[in-house]
Amino acid sequence: MKPLLNERICALFRSNWQHTLTYWSVFFSFGLCVAFLGPTILDLRCQTQSTLQEITLVFFSQQFFLFIGSTIGGFFSKTLVSSLSALAVSTLIISVVFAVIPLCHKLFLLAFAMAVSGLAMGSIDTISNLQLVKIYQKDSTVFLQALHFFVGLGALMSPLIADPFLSDTNCVIGNSSINTTSLSHLRNTLAGRQIHNVSSVHLHTEGEVVTNISYAFWIMALINLPIPIGIFILMYREHLFACGSPSRRLLDGDVLVKKTWGTTGQSEENGHQKEDPKSQIELFSCCLLGNMHRLPLSFFGIHILGGLVLFFYDGIVGSYTGFVYTYAVAPPMSLPHKTAGYLTCVFWAAITVGRLSAIPLSYRLKPVKFLIVSQVGVIVTLLLLLIFSNSSVFLFIGTCCLGLFISSVFPCMLALTEDILEYKGCATTVLVTSAGMGEMLLQVLVGSVMYSCGSFSFLLCGMVFGCMGFIFFILLFFVQQNHRNFTEVLPNNPPIERLEENGIKTYSSAGLNSWEISEWKASIDPEQ
């Protein structure tokens, strides 16, 4: 059975490899943007000749508009044309932003550039996740794991590219009171958005600016540039531009038809199918007022609970990345600044390795089992970090284990929720937006708590977030059972409708997922 499953998934990938590689590559762009700001923030402060408190505005600008971009990204996912167009424009914008950042010598211009990059990042986040779920449906876990591996890869590469060009001393000539060690400490502290501990640090804003950080941004712009070019080439090859043949402009529904036939071992003989009016679904159409009387409370409960799970677990990722350095250099851990600086890299490396190793594991474990193992692992790791809070060795071991366990929560949660809701498309936008909101808000909360209660509260906050996320996951499991029972007894809705349109057989379901549909078809029609 397992070899057949692998063969089927490989066949699906061969059918959609160009689009899949496109979504993976744009997530590499997303990763580049995620991690570059922290290491370069002091050089950007010198470039804009602003204070430490002023430069932290760019963090908020990028994160806030990333949240907005995640929310509106779903509007560009209605058709394949709009999805690829939005991704091409977004990745091109990222390259342009990288190229113009060295030219932003005013804080307002830099904040505006970060806001534009945040919008592009948010659109990439929502569209890529949504399109992969639409294409692969019940098999999407494997491909979502690979997708999120690329964001980790980009987040690892970005600081490595920037590191050779970072200033070893204060980059505004005229202030010699800060040495290399304290500058490194300040850089790592600012990378965590922790402005409370640096409010008493005053650096000169006037003088000659000496920094080579421009080269790092231009290198990242060049590395990212082939991605939008590749998307435009793909659109041209598939005649998806306005000048192309209308019959070739596929809707996502056409890709879904192709995928459904692929899962049952069938293949299309006619290539591209006729556009199905039913596939032209607006964002959140499953929640429109006209359909409210048909939807159970469990439908909305699944969206809310799934969003809350990712709200807390993405909040753990954001807060741990942001404040593990501050926790490590403070008593009782009191690690050297240079040693503590490696913790963030270890965490991101563990997340990347975890997502890479999760790709083959996803063949054998269902998303719900994967999620249980991952969340229990996160909670146990945080508990052990609390118990051994005085051990610097276990801090590195725990950071590595935490990254490995938490790496698969987002893609598995996304695949599970969409499977429960039969791939209506609303869940992906809600979950991505909730995750972005959690990463943004919980970082602020953890920073405030650490400032007022001490560094030990950092791990305690992570433990609370992990337990809250797991509680909401358990509630989601029970709501899922009620929702499945409801959909199975829907009146005036037969389990399977068999339609004939232009000689092409399609199927729609009420209460059955894609695997159950294929099993039902095989049982009533051996030829299918």
Side-chain angles (χ1 to χ4, degrees), residues 120-141:
M121 292 166 65
S123 298
I124 287 172
D125 198 4
T126 300
I127 294 172
S128 299
N129 282 289
L130 185 57
Q131 292 304 316
L132 278 182
V133 167
K134 284 183 176 182
I135 292 174
Y136 293 103
Q137 295 196 7
K138 74 171 290 293
D139 300 308
S140 60
T141 308

Side-chain angles (χ1 to χ4, degrees), residues 66-75 122-123 126 283-284 429 432-433:
L66 191 155
F67 167 72
I68 294 178
S70 299
T71 306
I72 66 176
F75 289 99
S123 298
T126 300
L283 180 66
F284 298 132
T429 303
V432 171
T433 304

Side-chain angles (χ1 to χ4, degrees), residues 22 38-39 43 50 105 116 137-139 207 211 215 241 250 268 305 312 325 397 422 425 432 459 489:
T22 296
D43 290 85
S50 54
H105 296 288
V116 173
Q137 295 196 7
K138 74 171 290 293
D139 300 308
T211 176
Y215 298 109
F241 290 112
L250 300 183
E268 288 181 309
L305 292 173
F312 284 106
Y325 172 83
I397 297 174
E422 300 171 4
V432 171
L459 293 177
V489 295

Side-chain angles (χ1 to χ4, degrees), residues 298 478-490 511:
S298 58
F478 288 108
V479 172
Q480 169 202 357
Q481 301 301 320
N482 293 332
H483 182 75
R484 199 174 293 276
N485 293 335
F486 178 88
T487 55
E488 288 176 354
V489 295
L490 280 177

Side-chain angles (χ1 to χ4, degrees), residues 448-512:
S448 301
V449 172
M450 286 183 68
Y451 178 67
S452 58
C453 302
S455 62
F456 186 79
S457 59
F458 164 69
L459 293 177
L460 190 60
C461 286
M463 185 70 183
V464 171
F465 297 158
C467 291
M468 291 293 294
F470 191 59
I471 290 171
F472 286 120
F473 175 74
I474 294 173
L475 292 175
L476 174 66
F477 181 79
F478 288 108
V479 172
Q480 169 202 357
Q481 301 301 320
N482 293 332
H483 182 75
R484 199 174 293 276
N485 293 335
F486 178 88
T487 55
E488 288 176 354
V489 295
L490 280 177
N492 303 321
N493 246 327
I496 300 290
E497 267 186 319
R498 185 169 177 173
L499 306 174
E500 296 284 344
E501 293 181 0
N502 299 325
I504 301 171
K505 298 177 182 178
T506 60
Y507 296 86
S508 64
S509 66
L512 298 177

Side-chain angles (χ1 to χ4, degrees), residues 303-318:
H303 283 85
I304 294 171
L305 292 173
L308 286 172
V309 172
L310 291 186
F311 177 87
F312 284 106
Y313 276 92
D314 256 48
I316 293 175
V317 174

